Amino acid sequence: MTSSTSLGFENRFVDLLPGDKESKNFCRQVFDACYSKVKPTSVSNPQIVAYSREVAELLNLPESWMTAKEAAETLGGNRLMPGMDPYAMCYGGHQFGNWAGQLGDGRAINLGERVNSSGQRWVLQLKGSGVTPYSRHADGLAVLRSSVREFLCSEAMHHLGVPTTRALSLVLTGDQVTRDMFYDGNPEREPGAIVCRVAPSFVRFGNFEIFAARQDTVTLRKLMDFTIREYFPHLIATTELQAETLSTETYLRWFDEVCRRTAEMVVHWMRVGFVHGVMNTDNMSILGLTIDYGPYGWLEDYEPTWTPNTTDASGRRYCYGQQPQIAMWNCAQLANAIWPVVQQEEPLREALKTYSATFEANWQTMMAGKLGLRSFNVGADESLVEELLKLLNAIETDMTLFYRQLASLPLESNFGRDCNTDESDVEDELDFFVSHFSVAFYDQRQISKSYKSQIGQWLQKYRNRVRQDGTDDADRQTSMDRINPLYVLRNYLAQQAIDKSEQGDHSMIYELLDVLRDPYRPQKNREIFAEKRPEWARNRAGCSMLSCSS
Ligand code: AMP
Ligand code: MG
């Protein structure tokens, strides 16, 4: 690499925050420190299976470098680039509602911060490159299937307009990793892989929680000051720019903004049908980015109680419909964590209300957008949306396809009962609706007479509402198709790409990456990627349920 090398790496997290005094790499509790320096473990034969050209560009890494041996060696963890000073972060977290103590980067190693030509800083982090002091009893490694999922979903979310960490590369290590995928006592050897994740910061709620739990207010304050100065500089008053520590008001403004960003992120998840699957506080980014793609999934038929995570199957804490409440609960844990520094309960409670207020306002705007309405009329539109969600749940209806079909439904022609129609016309009209939406129905046998009349009534109501706005069909479709994606990373598609990749054919990874680059516009000869889940995938592992084993 020529000019791009000179951009180099910086390591502000390491330079400005207290680190672990112990330099040997063994599992332990790490105190009074935000990180431990640790080098990636070497792998036997690193090969780049796929990379994101957009992320490479963002980092000013030219194609000639990405395709050279040096890239595979670096992104596989075998060599460091000048200026890199790798480290693993110390954090804790609430897992499934319970305090879990120290967790930390057990299999993630931050290489350094790339400063690109626009002066932006991007942390490069390898996931799956060996043990760190935080690995507890695990191996620090990752397998191909979970790495393909993380790589593809990070980029898919970005192109959908959802705040997310990015993925630069997917590397096969050449080594085998043993995993008991179903936790049933049948471990198998699987290909090892490493994803290079990229984000302005990987700091989580749990990074703050660990110091609060240990009553280490000194380090807690240092991390809060660092985080605000580095990532939220707009919140700092000019008078405190040079001050040793920031003011309580600034901490409160910051917490308020974290709540707001978190709410915005979750509204996006609800819009596109994304279910994170493990919303533990250690998986909540302080920047409001979707982070840690593990047993996530995409809603197929609209079912708010659906969770992709087998570990969550009994409690359904992290199911689609619970995500808004859980994110709020997580923000409350962050409030608890920063309380020792802020020392004021009431303003923290107030700031937490920002979460609910932002969520509600954004959710309403988002739902209005999904329906092609100019705005959400509180009162009148609540029942319209509520009835729709009931309808989507009444029979197995693919959420993604339903909204696209709704967008293309002609409303201007007279399909209604408000003109002189006899009964057979009404029947014809209901049949027309059902056939228009049939691509979204998983089981045509579920379409009863009563369902037909319900959907008919709702569509009448919807048409009347659209008429109030005076929006014509073409404009409505254009605006709806900008917010309702056509292509999402359907669970079975990711699994097909994995199945092929495990057989040595990685082409479908790039194919999906390419389809998901442009998720809102129909793509020629790619209709197959927009179809509802085929029946064979209904109960297949990896397609319908995922274990945390990765
Ligand atoms: P997760 O559920 O993936 O968010 O992980 C929870 C914690 O377990 C984090 O501290 C991870 O770093 C750690 N962890 C997960 N898998 C491994 C692994 N294979 N080796 C070491 N640590 C791991
Ligand atoms: Mg995690």
Side-chain angles (χ1 to χ4, degrees), residues 91 127 204 282-283 292:
Y91 56 79
K127 181 166 175 181
R204 303 130 190 275
D282 53 301
N283 291 337
D292 272 10

Side-chain angles (χ1 to χ4, degrees), residues 91 95 103-107 134-136 138-141 179 278 282-283 292:
Y91 56 79
Q95 298 185 316
L103 298 167
D105 285 332
R107 57 165 166 178
Y134 309 98
S135 298
R136 296 176 289 160
D139 57 10
L141 305 175
R179 285 287 181 272
V278 210
D282 53 301
N283 291 337
D292 272 10

Side-chain angles (χ1 to χ4, degrees), residues 25 35 206 273 356:
N25 186 8
Y35 64 86
S356 336

Side-chain angles (χ1 to χ4, degrees), residues 1-8 60 62 114:
M1 220 176 4
T2 50
S3 62
S4 40
T5 317
S6 62
L7 293 167
N60 301 118
R114 175 84 167 165

